[in-house]
Amino acid sequence: MMRSVGKAALCGAAVARGVYETARRRSGQGAVWERTNHAGRTVHLHAGPAAAAGTALALATAPGVPPRARAAGALAVVAAAACGAYDDFAGAGDPRRGLRAHLGALRQGEVTSGAVKLIGIGAAACAAGAVVKERPLDKALAAVVIAGSAHLVNLLDVRPGRAAGAVLALAAPGLARRGSAPLAAAPMGAAAALIADDLAGRTMLGDTGAHALGAGLGLAVAVGNGRTGLALHAAALVGTALAMDA
């Protein structure tokens, strides 16, 4: 099992770092890639697509994991990253944040980039949950866990290194679960490869990277837990999201 875990983590780290360095060299510091962080410092978003690519490829090739789980992982991460990227760029000037703000706008007939992101990630989570679980209730709980994890990691991306560090901490217990350990190692590898630049204030994950890492984390949790574990994780994620959005 440890060999499979190592391969998945190494794949995630190598791909994430490779994409990051390539994007940084080719894109430079163009305004479209720049954002202002919490300290008023200009940083770039190259860590986002790098985290997404590393996590998706590591999940898709994770050894010792059923093909259905690998496919579900790649689907969830790519969809979450795409939805996050849409919000990163289409919603760059929108000051509204949080579930309530975007759902409130949707009730008034305005489809914000945040609402598109929520719907898209939710739909991808439902599809992934349906792939990795057999019974309807388990499918629904898995979808909540995957979408909720993506949302949680994004909520934490407000200070350098916080989201990547959370992924490393939250995914670590999954390394002990036989059958899903390589899935947990995938987002850990990608996060580990980028956290130093994130902490140094050179880059940020943005919605693209945070949602991708979170979806990968949620997929590992969904595969590695039965109904009771899924229910507990889902309740914790929903409760945390409501508390943080209050």
Side-chain angles (χ1 to χ4, degrees):
M1 183 178 75
M2 293 307 299
R3 181 174 295 181
S4 297
V5 168
K7 286 182 178 179
L10 182 60
C11 178
V15 173
R17 195 68 204 179
V19 171
Y20 175 76
E21 294 295 344
T22 300
R24 190 168 59 86
R25 288 195 302 269
R26 292 187 177 181
S27 300
Q29 300 292 333
V32 71
W33 286 98
E34 292 178 346
R35 294 294 184 274
T36 302
N37 69 5
H38 74 288
R41 182 177 177 179
T42 299
V43 299
H44 59 72
L45 291 171
H46 298 137
T55 304
L57 190 57
L59 287 173
T61 60
V65 177
R68 288 169 61 88
R70 295 201 302 267
L75 165 68
V77 169
V78 170
C83 292
Y86 178 75
D87 197 30
D88 274 336
F89 295 102
D94 191 342
R96 289 170 292 192
R97 295 291 183 270
L99 291 169
R100 295 184 183 183
H102 291 294
L103 292 177
L106 191 60
R107 283 196 297 270
Q108 296 175 6
E110 180 184 1
V111 181
T112 65
S113 60
V116 171
K117 178 181 68 175
L118 291 171
I119 294 169
I121 292 176
C126 287
V131 170
V132 298
K133 294 298 179 182
E134 298 296 330
R135 297 184 177 181
L137 179 56
D138 296 338
K139 294 176 188 287
L141 289 171
V144 173
V145 167
I146 295 167
S149 297
H151 182 61
L152 173 64
V153 175
N154 187 55
L155 286 175
L156 294 173
D157 191 33
V158 293
R159 293 290 189 276
R162 185 174 293 182
V167 169
L168 293 174
L170 294 172
L175 298 179
R177 290 187 176 275
R178 187 175 299 275
S180 64
L183 299 177
M188 288 185 72
L194 301 167
I195 193 169
D197 289 82
D198 194 355
L199 284 168
R202 290 187 287 270
T203 189
M204 65 168 55
L205 291 168
D207 285 11
T208 306
H211 281 307
L213 289 172
L217 171 64
L219 190 282
V221 172
V223 172
N225 282 271
R227 181 170 298 175
T228 300
L230 284 173
L232 290 173
H233 279 90
L237 286 165
V238 171
T240 301
L242 292 175
M244 294 180 72
D245 196 45

